[in-house]
Amino acid sequence: MATSQAALDEIKLAMASTNDIFNKEVFGKRNFAALADVYTKDARILPPGGSMVTGLPGITEFWANLIQSVNATSAVLQSLEVMPAGDGLVEIGEATLAIQPAGQEASDLRVKYVVYWRQDAGRWKWHVDIWN
Amino acid sequence: MATSQAALDEIKLAMASTNDIFNKEVFGKRNFAALADVYTKDARILPPGGSMVTGLPGITEFWANLIQSVNATSAVLQSLEVMPAGDGLVEIGEATLAIQPAGQEASDLRVKYVVYWRQDAGRWKWHVDIWN
């Protein structure tokens, strides 16, 4: 399925909006309910050093625990490549997480990620999310 | 784009054949040229703790170094989910690498992975490969 440049540009804006929710709402305001606007209902995350988590409730619990345990305040995402893949998209990117665990200096944690995006309820959301 | 079950079953056999080359040729026989049958020419790998590597020559160098440095002898891949994605596929899986670094006991290294598959020169190959 061909995706025109104009359509792709529009999709990239929608993706940036989703990524912004992850950064500003979920990390910035600890509004974990906003994860419903980031992940599809049956999304999968594959966190380093842990098991795959399937479904929005488990994913919400994962991020709530992680954000609170390392005292994270932002997660700035940068798309490096976006590849149209049928009804979805494959994105390669880099994330910078600002963290300050109890008793430690504030620091930045950098990760690489691959996200498989799907449309869900009129929004572009993360359906498969893996990072390292 | 809909993919029939019969077509998907056939693709899964082709995927298993590619995965077998990675295990038996690349890891088992250290035939690193066989990586050309596993990865697309402009594939990307995102290894934990390192930078993204783009293109078959760099990817070949990466695996040759890693396999030799940890004395790996096999990489058994197990597909957990295969999601048709336009002309490609998104696969979630688990890999078990048998390794025996110099002076250490033999051990198994288990990783989770996501691969974005594309067709290239009549074969199904890995176009984006990330693991942790």
Side-chain angles (χ1 to χ4, degrees):
Chain A
M1 182 184 305
T3 305
S4 74
Q5 190 57 47
L8 190 56
D9 287 346
E10 196 171 319
I11 291 169
K12 283 182 180 178
L13 286 178
M15 292 169 69
S17 154
T18 299
N19 288 351
D20 241 32
I21 292 171
F22 189 68
N23 179 23
K24 294 178 183 161
E25 286 295 320
V26 179
F27 275 68
K29 299 183 188 165
R30 301 198 179 179
N31 171 10
F32 301 122
L35 284 163
D37 291 330
V38 176
Y39 287 97
T40 63
K41 279 190 190 61
D42 55 343
R44 286 99 167 94
I45 61 172
L46 293 93
S51 295
M52 177 167 75
V53 179
T54 301
L56 194 52
I59 290 171
T60 302
E61 191 184 347
F62 172 88
W63 284 114
N65 287 342
L66 184 134
I67 288 168
Q68 291 169 130
S69 72
V70 299
N71 190 26
T73 52
S74 68
V76 177
L77 308 179
Q78 190 195 357
S79 274
L80 298 179
E81 293 191 51
V82 176
M83 307 172 185
D87 296 334
L89 296 154
V90 174
E91 179 200 15
I92 299 174
E94 285 178 344
T96 305
L97 277 62
I99 64 172
Q100 184 164 18
Q104 297 183 30
E105 298 277 311
S107 64
D108 282 350
L109 190 63
R110 307 192 79 156
V111 302
K112 311 183 297 300
Y113 66 81
V114 172
V115 169
Y116 174 47
W117 292 72
R118 303 273 307 176
Q119 275 187 290
D120 173 53
R123 290 194 67 91
W124 281 95
K125 297 184 186 176
W126 306 352
H127 191 53
V128 178
D129 179 19
I130 180 171
W131 66 94
N132 63 33
Chain B
M1 182 183 306
T3 305
S4 73
Q5 190 57 49
L8 190 56
D9 286 347
E10 195 171 320
I11 291 168
K12 284 182 179 176
L13 286 178
M15 293 169 69
S17 152
T18 299
N19 288 352
D20 241 31
I21 292 171
F22 189 68
N23 179 23
K24 294 179 183 161
E25 285 296 320
V26 178
F27 275 69
K29 298 183 188 165
R30 302 197 178 178
N31 171 10
F32 301 121
L35 284 163
D37 292 329
V38 175
Y39 287 98
T40 63
K41 278 192 189 61
D42 55 345
R44 286 97 167 94
I45 62 172
L46 293 93
S51 296
M52 178 167 75
V53 179
T54 301
L56 194 53
I59 291 171
T60 301
E61 190 183 349
F62 173 87
W63 284 115
N65 287 342
L66 185 134
I67 288 167
Q68 291 169 129
S69 73
V70 298
N71 190 25
T73 52
S74 69
V76 177
L77 308 179
Q78 190 194 357
S79 274
L80 299 178
E81 293 190 50
V82 176
M83 307 172 184
D87 295 335
L89 296 154
V90 175
E91 179 200 15
I92 299 175
E94 286 179 342
T96 304
L97 277 62
I99 64 172
Q100 184 165 17
Q104 294 184 32
E105 298 278 310
S107 65
D108 281 350
L109 191 64
R110 305 192 79 155
V111 302
K112 311 183 298 298
Y113 66 81
V114 172
V115 169
Y116 175 45
W117 292 72
R118 303 275 305 175
Q119 274 187 290
D120 174 54
R123 292 193 67 91
W124 281 95
K125 298 183 186 177
W126 305 352
H127 191 52
V128 178
D129 179 19
I130 180 171
W131 66 95
N132 65 32

